[in-house]
């Protein structure tokens, strides 16, 4: 199977898992709180690239096809945490954006309070999916929950977002080391957790989990640098979210600190470091290497 066919198949399996694992809409579950479930599904099913699930399923695949199938609940949970973070990031009190994944943001399609609650519910639901999905493997469930909670924590995803907001309030004056802290946590934490969760489901040994974590860190930095370059160079239609926001907001980014060409070179360097870590993993890392290349070459 070639790379795109395999990626499309993993995305389709992720979409089916999300559909099965996230509360249904009123017709199927008439007693449920319909509006919140509709808002959760609206953002989940808005056409995200499913990169985090793909990374988790690909890392699990190092342990064989059964491990890939077993990683589907973890992959769905990672997408729930990611989607929560996007919904909250778009809120007026944060980035105040109208467009996400090519459609009106959750608070524009519903309202601010509903969007806040949909994000909260998706975050909680991620942990429910893992707790229920791996109830028959309690040690694995505990390891996955710890990994996911750590990535979403005040030290990582939320902590990175906090520092990002503070940097913006300070007028975009940020040292390169502060910018790296922000992106290692706001962006890389969840990509890192995606690879590690896949490796945990596959039962990979500690050195391989360390390799996955290292790869995730470099992929995360590369991903963010590409995001900064795209914000400066692509248009809103191609991105599916508002382009050029960073410069308008006077925000410190890899592009504002280093310029577009140097930032692009840094993204390539980080991808090369991620590739080196992935190439040393047990099993066949070819698909993971393809994902690393795709993340560098992406245009949205
Ligand atoms: C609100 C706790 C909290 C965190 C927000 C997600 C986030 C942290 C900020 C969004 C701003 C941003 C540009 C982050 C960079 C990386 C990122 C998460 C980009 C979006 O991820 P993609 O491109 O999105 O994988 P899709 O929609 O394809 O899933």
């Amino acid at each position: 199977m070639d790379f795109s066919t395999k990626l499309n198949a993993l995305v389709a399996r992720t979409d089916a898992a999300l559909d099965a694992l996230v509360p249904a809409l009123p017709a199927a579950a008439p007693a449920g709180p319909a509006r919140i479930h509709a808002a959760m599904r609206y953002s989940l099913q808005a056409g995200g690239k499913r990169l985090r699930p793909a990374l988790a399923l690909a890392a699990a695949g190092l342990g064989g096809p059964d491990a890939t199938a077993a990683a589907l609940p973890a992959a769905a949970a990672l997408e729930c945490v990611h989607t929560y973070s996007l919904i909250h990031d778009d809120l007026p009190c944060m980035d105040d954006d109208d467009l996400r994944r090519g459609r009106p943001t959750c608070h524009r399609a519903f309202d601010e309070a509903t969007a806040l609650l949909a994000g909260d519910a998706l975050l909680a639901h991620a942990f429910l999916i893992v707790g229920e999905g791996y109830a028959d493997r309690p040690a694995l469930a505990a390891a996955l929950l710890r990994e996911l909670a750590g990535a979403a924590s005040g030290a990582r995803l939320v902590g990175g977002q906090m520092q990002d907001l503070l940097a913006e309030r300070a007028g975009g004056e940020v040292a390169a080391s502060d910018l790296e802290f922000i992106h290692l946590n706001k962006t890389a934490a969840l990509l890192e957790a995606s690879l590690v969760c896949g490796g945990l489901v596959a039962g990979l040994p500690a050195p391989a989990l360390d390799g996955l974590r290292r790869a995730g860190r470099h992929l995360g930095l590369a991903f963010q640098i590409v995001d900064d370059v795209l914000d400066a160079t692509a248009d809103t239609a191609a991105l599916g979210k508002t382009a050029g926001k960073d410069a308008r907001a006077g925000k410190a980014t890899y592009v504002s600190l280093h310029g577009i060409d140097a930032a692009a070179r840094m993204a390539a360097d980080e991808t090369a470091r991620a590739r080196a870590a992935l190439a040393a993993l047990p099993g066949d890392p070819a698909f993971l290497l393809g994902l690393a290349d795709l993340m560098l070459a992406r245009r949205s």
Side-chain angles (χ1 to χ4, degrees), residues 48-49 51-52 79 82 84-86 88-89 94 100-101 157-158 161 186-187 223-224 227 241 298:
K49 295 183 289 297
L51 280 176
R52 291 145 197 86
E79 188 67 14
H82 170 57
Y84 127 76
S85 78
L86 297 179
H88 280 196
D89 184 66
M94 297 223 188
R100 170 70 66 181
R101 293 174 163 174
L157 175 65
V158 171
Q161 177 77 352
K186 188 183 88 168
T187 307
F223 186 86
Q224 182 60 53
D227 223 70
K241 62 181 180 180
R298 72 192 174 96

Side-chain angles (χ1 to χ4, degrees), residues 25-286:
L25 290 180
R35 187 172 173 81
I36 198 68
H37 294 161
M40 290 162 77
R41 280 181 173 261
Y42 172 82
S43 288
L44 265 180
Q45 297 176 334
K49 295 183 289 297
R50 310 297 195 218
L51 280 176
R52 291 145 197 86
L55 288 169
L57 297 173
L62 294 171
D66 290 351
T68 305
L72 279 166
L78 284 154
E79 188 67 14
C80 287
V81 174
H82 170 57
T83 303
Y84 127 76
S85 78
L86 297 179
I87 294 174
H88 280 196
D89 184 66
D90 289 332
L91 286 170
C93 62
M94 297 223 188
D95 222 21
D96 192 10
D97 220 322
D98 296 338
L99 198 67
R100 170 70 66 181
R101 293 174 163 174
R103 335 170 27 170
T105 45
C106 193
H107 66 277
R108 290 274 168 229
F110 291 83
D111 58 72
E112 210 175 314
T114 304
L116 186 75
L117 292 173
D120 292 341
L122 280 168
L123 179 62
H125 199 71
F127 295 99
L128 185 62
I129 289 174
V130 173
E132 287 183 354
Y134 301 95
D136 57 344
R137 297 170 73 184
L140 174 60
L144 290 170
L145 289 169
R146 185 176 173 188
E147 186 62 34
L148 204 54
S153 70
R156 303 235 45 203
L157 175 65
V158 171
Q161 177 77 352
M162 182 78 253
Q163 293 308 108
D164 197 27
L165 285 176
L166 291 177
E168 223 174 314
R169 284 181 201 166
E173 284 293 313
V174 180
S177 58
D178 293 334
L179 195 61
E180 187 179 80
F181 173 88
I182 289 169
H183 299 316
L184 278 176
N185 294 296
K186 188 183 88 168
T187 307
L190 212 49
L191 294 167
E192 205 180 290
S194 301
L195 288 170
V196 173
C197 284
L200 286 168
V201 174
L204 298 186
L209 296 176
D210 288 346
L212 286 168
R213 196 177 291 291
R214 209 165 38 252
R217 174 191 165 94
H218 292 303
L219 277 184
L221 288 176
F223 186 86
Q224 182 60 53
I225 299 169
V226 169
D227 223 70
D228 291 351
V229 171
L230 288 175
D231 184 79
T233 57
D235 61 37
T236 298
L239 285 183
K241 62 181 180 180
T242 315
K245 276 200 85 172
D246 295 341
R248 278 197 296 283
K251 195 168 172 174
T253 67
Y254 285 90
V255 169
S256 73
L257 282 186
H258 306 284
I260 288 176
D261 292 345
R265 280 195 300 277
M266 290 167 82
D269 289 347
E270 291 298 341
T271 302
R273 291 185 188 113
R275 285 181 63 94
L278 293 172
L281 292 170
D284 179 3

